[in-house]
Amino acid sequence: MLTAFARAFRTPDLRKKLLFTLAIIVLYRVGTHVPIPGVDYKSVQTCMDEAQANTGLFGLVNMFSGGALLQITIFALGIMPYITASIILQLLTVVIPRLEALKKEGQAGTAKITQYTRYLTVALAILQGTGLVATARSGALFSGCSATSTIVPDQSIFTTITMVICMTAGTAMVMWLGELITDRGIGNGMSILMFISIAATFPSALWTIKKQGTLADGWIEFGTVIAVGLVMVGLVVFVEQAQRRIPVQYAKRMIGRRSYGGTSTYIPLKVNQAGVIPVIFASSLLYIPALIAQFSSSNSSWKTWIETNLTKGDHPVYITSYFLLIVFFAFFYVAISFNPEEVADNMKKYGGFIPGIRAGRPTAEYLSYVLNRITWPGSLYLGLIALVPTMALVGFGATNNFPFGGTSILIIVGVGLETVKQIESQLQQRNYEGFLR
């Protein structure tokens, strides 16, 4: 494996792509530590040392920004607006016929949808940046800190607009850096930046668990968390690679003097067909009522109920709602991303059939039946993995610092596997040897 890495750097064009990707990553990490104008950086650091971050509301966004959200830097919003915009456009493609037609136009249509995603990303960045500034002013970003009133000392309109513009420009730059990696580097740029953002929070989170531990000066808790993390990585790799292969046979056809078809292949249906998207959907949906309650000035019963039940990660109502939403969105996303009727029609058009199943409607019904059966274990697996931070709260009392949360592990393993596959494919073009012999 180490020999394969050395061979990758000895290949000129592959070495150039790897070094370019590393340079963009360094630039991105530098930007996550550059504060925006109008923020008292010393007060922010004081609050991060003294207070406990309100991760119930901002934990997901802070994770995707690599910890830049709570430091209120130019990359505070990170890649989250782009992820949200991509998900919204993907859902609208199924609903709006115009977008569906663009998707079928090939590369030109995809470029147009990408342009719409960029516009929506900027709009969401303005909205989220305004909300972050208002939250920092109100002192709700940190709880129990005496310096919250001095985080944004100047509360004039000009300063507010400047802060929002800086964070929006930072989001646009993050989006541009991700596209540069996709075009000139290795792997999908947005996924690589997500990977780096999440991985950057691991060392400090692990060391915090060690410092807060009481058994053997914290080393037992530290070792236990590492062991749990390794087991989770192995479980996620196993499930992410698991798939149901449905055999497909193509009939042999004679066109002129040539014969076509007569081959056998399969349709790979993954157990976790939806990936990490249901977890992001569920987190975002639970984030909305808590955000509305936060900006409400009244002390009504509904606000009290939301703050009691939907902002604390260890509350039974929050856990149940989170789990059920993940299961629901897993089925929902699979339903809009894989169309059994369309697959059955394409198979019938090119003379393909599943052995023992008639072509056409019976094939579509069979594919739908198999997809529903494998989506159940996939959705339950996603829900259980996402609840790992809550179990960490019970076991270690460290839910705010537990690094091996469901979303982070899913993204890191998924992006790592895809990036290694891309490097391996380029190595095999020259040496016919990948990372594993």
Side-chain angles (χ1 to χ4, degrees):
M1 182 174 175
L2 295 177
T3 305
F5 274 111
R7 191 183 300 118
F9 276 94
R10 284 200 300 266
T11 306
D13 55 342
L14 192 54
R15 180 177 66 245
K16 184 177 179 181
K17 290 182 178 181
L18 290 172
L19 292 177
F20 179 81
T21 304
L22 291 175
I24 295 295
I25 289 172
V26 171
L27 181 62
Y28 173 68
R29 288 304 301 161
V30 169
T32 58
H33 292 87
V34 178
I36 62 175
V39 174
D40 188 346
Y41 191 67
K42 291 183 178 179
S43 299
V44 173
Q45 294 301 314
T46 301
C47 286
M48 291 189 67
D49 294 336
E50 293 180 1
Q52 187 178 30
N54 192 348
T55 54
L57 286 175
F58 306 103
L60 186 69
V61 184
N62 187 58
M63 181 185 70
F64 282 122
S65 66
L69 174 75
L70 297 180
Q71 298 184 37
I72 319 180
T73 63
I74 57 173
F75 288 170
L77 301 178
I79 203 71
M80 196 63 182
Y82 182 84
I83 296 173
T84 308
S86 300
I87 292 173
I88 292 174
L89 261 296
Q90 198 168 11
L91 293 176
L92 291 179
T93 302
V94 183
V95 179
I96 301 177
R98 168 61 179 164
L99 293 177
E100 188 176 1
L102 282 175
K103 186 179 180 180
K104 295 179 180 178
E105 287 181 5
Q107 187 174 359
T110 304
K112 199 70 176 177
I113 293 177
T114 303
Q115 188 176 5
Y116 293 155
T117 306
R118 293 170 184 163
Y119 294 151
L120 185 57
T121 300
V122 173
L124 290 174
I126 294 173
L127 184 63
Q128 293 182 13
T130 306
L132 178 59
V133 172
T135 305
R137 281 181 175 180
S138 65
L141 192 61
F142 296 95
S143 57
C145 178
S146 58
T148 51
S149 59
T150 59
I151 290 180
V152 185
D154 185 5
Q155 300 193 0
S156 63
I157 297 179
F158 178 76
T159 303
T160 303
I161 294 175
T162 303
M163 294 172 67
V164 173
I165 290 175
C166 288
M167 283 190 283
T168 304
T171 300
M173 186 173 181
V174 169
M175 184 169 55
W176 178 60
L177 293 177
E179 292 180 355
L180 282 179
I181 293 177
T182 304
D183 294 339
R184 300 174 57 184
I186 288 290
N188 183 284
M190 302 303 174
S191 300
I192 293 291
L193 294 183
M194 275 196 296
F195 179 96
I196 296 302
S197 299
I198 297 169
T201 62
F202 273 32
S204 60
L206 287 171
W207 191 247
T208 301
I209 290 176
K210 189 265 175 189
K211 289 194 299 183
Q212 292 178 350
T214 57
L215 301 175
D217 201 18
W219 288 109
I220 293 181
E221 287 90 345
F222 181 83
T224 304
V225 170
I226 294 292
V228 170
L230 292 176
V231 171
M232 284 190 60
V233 169
L235 174 64
V236 171
V237 170
F238 178 77
V239 179
E240 290 296 316
Q241 298 292 88
Q243 57 182 223
R244 168 75 183 273
R245 296 181 175 181
I246 299 178
V248 178
Q249 182 74 35
Y250 284 91
K252 192 172 183 179
R253 296 180 298 168
M254 295 296 297
I255 302 179
R257 295 184 177 181
R258 290 191 176 186
S259 63
Y260 295 89
T263 59
S264 298
T265 183
Y266 60 87
I267 301 174
L269 296 179
K270 295 181 65 176
V271 173
N272 182 22
Q273 192 90 352
V276 74
I277 289 180
V279 180
I280 298 176
F281 268 38
S283 302
S284 302
L285 199 62
L286 285 178
Y287 169 82
I288 293 174
L291 188 63
I292 294 174
Q294 180 183 331
F295 285 105
S296 176
S297 58
S298 63
N299 293 321
S300 57
S301 57
W302 67 268
K303 179 181 178 181
T304 305
W305 188 89
I306 289 176
E307 291 178 346
T308 304
N309 299 291
L310 294 181
T311 59
K312 298 178 181 179
D314 59 336
H315 197 280
V317 175
Y318 182 91
I319 294 173
T320 305
S321 302
Y322 192 35
F323 183 82
L324 293 178
L325 283 174
I326 290 174
V327 173
F328 169 76
F329 281 123
F331 278 92
F332 176 76
Y333 186 79
V334 169
I336 66 173
S337 62
F338 186 89
N339 190 348
E341 294 183 359
E342 184 178 350
V343 174
D345 290 341
N346 290 334
M347 288 171 54
K348 186 177 180 180
K349 186 185 301 182
Y350 294 103
F353 63 93
I354 299 174
I357 307 294
R358 295 184 61 183
R361 185 175 181 83
T363 299
E365 292 176 351
Y366 176 75
L367 290 174
S368 179
Y369 169 75
V370 173
L371 193 63
N372 286 332
R373 291 195 64 177
I374 66 172
T375 302
W376 268 114
S379 61
L380 295 177
Y381 143 82
L382 277 178
L384 292 175
I385 288 290
L387 293 177
V388 167
T390 303
M391 292 184 279
L393 171 65
V394 177
F396 306 108
T399 186
N400 290 330
N401 300 307
F402 192 76
F404 300 107
T407 309
S408 58
I409 288 294
L410 286 169
I411 292 175
I412 281 185
V413 171
V415 175
L417 289 173
E418 288 300 320
T419 306
V420 167
K421 285 179 182 178
Q422 289 202 21
I423 299 175
E424 188 176 16
S425 65
Q426 298 205 21
L427 282 175
Q428 288 178 342
Q429 292 176 6
R430 302 166 178 82
N431 302 288
Y432 298 100
E433 285 187 8
F435 286 104
L436 301 177
R437 296 181 180 179

